[in-house]
Every structure is written in structure tokens, then in C-alpha cells.
Amino acid sequence: MRIGVLALQGAVPEHVAAVQRALRASGKRGEAILVRRPHDLEKVSALIIPGGESTTISRLIDKFKLREPIIQRARAGMPMMGTCAGCIIVASGGDGTIEQMKLIDAQVVRNAFGRQRESFERALDINGYDSPFCAVFIRAPIIEKVWGECKALASVPEGIVMAKQGNILALAFHPELTGDPRIHEMLIGMV
Ligand code: GLN
């Protein structure tokens, strides 16, 4: 299987390494593929939209004519994971500064943790996991509310930080930075 990492800006090499770790951990054969153009997207069976700067990533998605192809693949059932900036991009509502893909019924707030706490770690209880996941938050958004078919999988006192709607996962934090392969394994398991 080929797991795509949208490689326009942001934490791209970190996700490639995390996909490789998760493939090893799950004993599955496959590879991580950089997705930069629509023809790259045709090769992959799942896609990660990484953290970075959501305004920049969104602008580059349009520049390289990836928006419609990504939305179409997602609607056709391709597993996708948006982390941090990627979470903002796949959500339905926000502050209006970027065009969101509206793939999950979720409303997000950018930079929700304020300047004092630009970056921090939390041991996070995730639904269905038997031990906490060390989650790294970097100028993170929060998922303010979910509705419809979208379900919260993890929360902190400030709000929801992980949600799933069918084939789409959205995370306010960076799951690729700590070496724990479980969330990438979860995405691989959805393929
Ligand atoms: N603050 C960034 C944004 O609003 C997201 C930060 C991140 O992806 N680590 O796009």
C-alpha cells in the first residue's frame, strides 16, 4: 500500500518517517509517497495532510490544483488524516481565513491555546487505546464542536483534539513527532 503525505509545506519528512515506522510495526508492506501534484494522488490509497501553516498549505493546494482531486478521493472513501494545520483544512468551520474542505462535521478555532503555550505535550487518553498517547501541540487549533456523523476520540479541558468521521481522521496535535506509531497504524488499518 502507498500512503501519501501532502508535501507542499510543513512536517512532511516527519510524517514519512512515521508512516515507515507504522508499516514496520504493523508488519504491512508499503511505502510513503510524497504528493505534490494531482498525478501523485492517483497512486496513493491514503493521504496525510500535515501540520504547518494552514494558510500556506491551502494556497498551495489551489496553486497545484489539488483541492478538487483531494475532495473527490475523500468522498469516494479514501482514508485521510489531517493533523494540526491539516485538521483545520479538512474541517467545515473556522475563522474564515482559509477555504476549508468540509470533509468532517467539525468547527475549529486556530491557534486556540494562546501565545504562552505555543508548544506543549500532553498524555492523551484516546478512545479505544489501552495507554495514553503522548501528544505534541504546536500552535494548535482546537475542535470546538462536532456534529452529525463526526465523533470525538480525544479531548483536553480546552476542547476536542481528535475526531473521526468515517474515512477521515482529524487531530489538533502532531502524532508524527514522538515515535509512537499507533495513530499512523490506525490510518493504515483504515485502508
Ligand atoms: N497555527 C497553524 C495554523 O493555524 C497550525 C500549526 C501547526 O500545524 N503546527 O495553520
Side-chain angles (χ1 to χ4, degrees):
M1 78 174 72
R2 293 186 170 125
I3 308 296
V5 179
L6 187 68
L8 302 176
Q9 189 263 337
V12 175
E14 293 84 353
H15 271 292
V16 168
V19 166
Q20 289 163 347
R21 276 197 298 275
L23 285 166
R24 274 199 301 279
S26 61
K28 291 192 173 141
R29 290 163 69 91
E31 58 182 329
I33 298 265
L34 299 181
V35 173
R36 294 199 167 100
R37 299 293 184 271
H39 64 83
D40 300 322
L41 195 63
E42 290 163 17
K43 299 181 220 154
V44 303
S45 38
L47 180 70
I48 296 169
I49 303 186
E53 200 50 53
S54 54
T55 42
T56 306
I57 296 174
S58 183
R59 191 163 45 75
L60 294 171
I61 283 172
D62 287 327
K63 179 169 181 195
F64 296 118
K65 304 201 164 19
L66 281 158
R67 188 174 300 273
E68 276 316 306
I70 291 173
I71 291 172
Q72 275 173 21
R73 289 295 305 275
R75 291 204 179 126
M78 177 180 69
M80 255 177 78
M81 173 164 80
T83 68
C84 205
C87 172
I88 300 166
I89 290 170
V90 300
S92 287
D95 60 9
T97 50
I98 68 155
E99 191 186 336
Q100 291 168 294
M101 291 191 176
K102 301 184 170 55
L103 299 176
I104 59 168
D105 297 331
Q107 170 93 20
V108 297
V109 179
R110 286 179 76 186
N111 304 318
F113 293 90
R115 291 191 115 236
Q116 288 77 16
R117 293 165 61 228
E118 285 214 319
S119 160
F120 59 95
E121 294 180 11
R122 287 266 177 90
L124 202 63
D125 287 320
I126 298 177
N127 262 13
Y129 285 34
D130 51 17
S131 62
F133 188 94
C134 176
V136 179
F137 293 81
I138 305 169
R139 290 176 292 109
I142 199 93
I143 302 173
E144 211 180 11
K145 64 173 183 186
V146 294
W147 63 94
E149 296 297 302
C150 189
K151 302 286 175 257
L153 295 184
S155 297
V156 296
E158 293 86 347
I160 299 163
V161 292
M162 180 170 176
K164 182 174 186 287
Q165 182 170 341
N167 53 314
I168 315 288
L169 276 170
L171 282 65
F173 53 95
H174 286 254
E176 74 282 11
L177 295 178
T178 50
D180 186 336
R182 286 180 289 172
I183 290 176
H184 288 78
E185 279 185 89
M186 189 175 174
L187 178 72
I188 287 169
M190 286 158 62
V191 174

